[in-house]
Amino acid sequence: MPIPAPHLQDLGTGYLRGRPHKQPLLQPLLDRLAVGANVTDRREFDGHVTTSGVVINDADDVLLIHHLASGRCIQPGAHCEPSDRTLAAAVRREIAEETGITALEPLCGGEPVQIDVHSIEARPDRGEPTHHHIDVRYVFRTRGTPTVTLQLEEVDGAEWCGPSQLGNPVLRARVMDVLGRPREDRPAEEDEYGTLVVITNRAGEVLMHLRDDKEGIWAPGTWAPLGGGAEPADADPHATGVRELGGEVGLTGIELTPMFRVDSDGYPVHVMHGRWDGDPATLVLSEGTDLAFLASADFDRLPMNASVKQDTRRVLDLTTPKPAPHR
């Protein structure tokens, strides 16, 4: 049996009570439910309901999976199954199947955080014309950072990311609101965390700037990768890293991968990695006195903070391909 129509009608009307401006978007769905259409059947090409869930760990990172069918990094979720009795049960099932995570605490009172209607391209090989998905999206908390077990038939990768990396802007804003971010009332001098952004080129060199040798500057007169402290409007460490790259040297569009977090005298520093093969001479340095790609072999002869040197070398070790072990 499909998910009962009254459940879907109640869910849709409840969602609209707080968002009446979404009435034109959802009215076609409510009209089809009223005439008995099975809107959870994936062969219903006038548009059918799907569901997905944003899974948040204790570090306030969200789980994104690389979905084979779409080729995108998105939150877990998919079509409903005949065994599903509610959408909340359907999304829990999908998260468990795709990621192996079952310990989920619903946020937002268990109500959807977003209902999104988007177009799906035709798949002639499957006999599927262009149609719409009405994706009902939930938010869950999972404790710790649980092991992810991928459903390899549909998913070939997963990563815990900052919530600013959620692709849909409305979903991103609503998840940020659930997490209380950004904290616009936080004093600007209160850095909740810092970022260290290790940018490497194909030669394995690291883009570094020579920090100003001035009173009040942390580690003055030393070479260091780019990065800096959080600002009140930053949503998460990823957003901080992106802002620092743009603000310090004008680098944009760099894909950043979180590597690890370290504590410096109780101050958390999020270390990230990105790749860029350009010429530092083309960049405009706004902080520091020099900018260059430096090889790891040069670190010991240059003035560098010991912890920064250690963290940078750790990133290089993690990102440098290793030869296969000799059997």
Side-chain angles (χ1 to χ4, degrees):
M1 290 181 61
I3 295 176
H7 168 69
L8 298 174
Q9 289 169 328
D10 289 346
L11 188 146
T13 54
Y15 183 80
L16 288 174
R17 275 196 292 271
R19 305 169 183 88
H21 61 287
K22 295 294 184 181
Q23 186 82 34
L25 187 72
L26 295 186
Q27 192 60 51
L29 170 65
L30 296 175
D31 290 343
R32 290 170 58 220
L33 283 169
V35 298
N38 181 6
V39 297
T40 59
D41 185 350
R42 66 186 305 161
R43 306 298 296 179
E44 181 63 63
F45 295 124
D46 285 336
H48 53 259
V49 171
T50 59
T51 186
S52 62
V54 177
V55 179
I56 304 173
N57 66 13
D58 282 339
D60 284 352
D61 293 325
V62 301
L63 182 63
L64 297 183
I65 61 170
H66 186 260
H67 195 251
L68 289 171
S70 66
R72 296 185 298 134
C73 288
I74 55 178
Q75 67 276 6
H79 293 88
C80 299
E81 298 290 347
S83 59
D84 297 326
R85 304 308 299 146
T86 66
L87 281 179
V91 71
R92 284 176 174 272
R93 174 188 53 75
E94 279 295 334
I95 292 170
E97 289 177 358
E98 293 185 340
T99 71
I101 298 175
T102 57
L104 298 169
E105 302 172 13
L107 302 182
C108 305
E111 298 299 318
V113 71
Q114 184 195 21
I115 300 179
D116 180 67
V117 181
H118 56 271
S119 179
I120 302 298
E121 293 183 1
R123 294 285 299 273
D125 57 318
R126 295 187 177 183
E128 297 178 356
T130 300
H131 58 282
H132 287 89
H133 279 180
I134 302 104
D135 194 44
V136 181
R137 297 169 174 173
Y138 295 83
V139 182
F140 298 94
R141 173 76 73 180
T142 188
R143 295 302 170 185
T145 304
T147 300
V148 176
T149 304
L150 298 179
Q151 183 184 34
L152 296 178
E153 297 84 358
E154 297 184 13
V155 180
D156 69 349
E159 185 176 356
W160 292 99
C161 304
S164 70
Q165 293 176 265
L166 286 166
N168 182 280
V170 175
L171 179 63
R172 182 167 62 242
R174 291 184 182 168
V175 170
M176 294 291 190
D177 186 58
V178 170
L179 295 174
R181 298 185 181 182
R183 277 189 52 207
E184 296 181 358
D185 60 335
R186 179 169 62 84
E189 64 273 12
E190 283 188 19
D191 289 350
E192 293 183 320
Y193 57 82
T195 59
L196 186 72
V197 185
V198 179
I199 302 294
T200 61
N201 59 15
R202 63 171 57 93
E205 299 168 325
V206 180
L207 185 64
M208 292 195 175
H209 69 308
L210 182 59
R211 299 177 64 84
D212 292 309
D213 195 359
K214 298 178 181 177
E215 184 178 353
I217 296 291
W218 182 84
T222 63
W223 286 90
L226 305 169
E231 292 188 355
D234 293 341
D236 55 31
H238 180 271
T240 303
V242 169
R243 177 184 53 73
E244 287 288 341
L245 282 182
E248 291 188 334
V249 295
L251 265 182
T252 60
I254 305 297
E255 182 177 345
L256 298 182
T257 301
M259 303 302 297
F260 51 87
R261 195 187 85 163
V262 295
D263 286 321
S264 176
D265 296 326
Y267 179 66
V269 177
H270 296 261
V271 184
M272 304 178 184
H273 175 250
R275 295 192 185 275
W276 183 66
D277 287 305
D279 181 358
T282 64
L283 302 176
V284 178
L285 182 64
S286 64
E287 295 183 18
T289 59
D290 200 359
L291 184 70
F293 271 114
L294 301 177
S296 178
D298 296 326
F299 291 179
D300 289 332
R301 68 175 183 82
L302 296 170
M304 287 186 66
N305 174 270
S307 63
V308 168
K309 184 191 304 185
Q310 178 181 343
D311 295 338
T312 304
R313 280 185 165 151
R314 183 179 173 189
V315 172
L316 292 176
D317 181 65
L318 290 170
T319 58
T320 301
K322 308 293 192 300
H326 180 68
R327 296 181 62 85

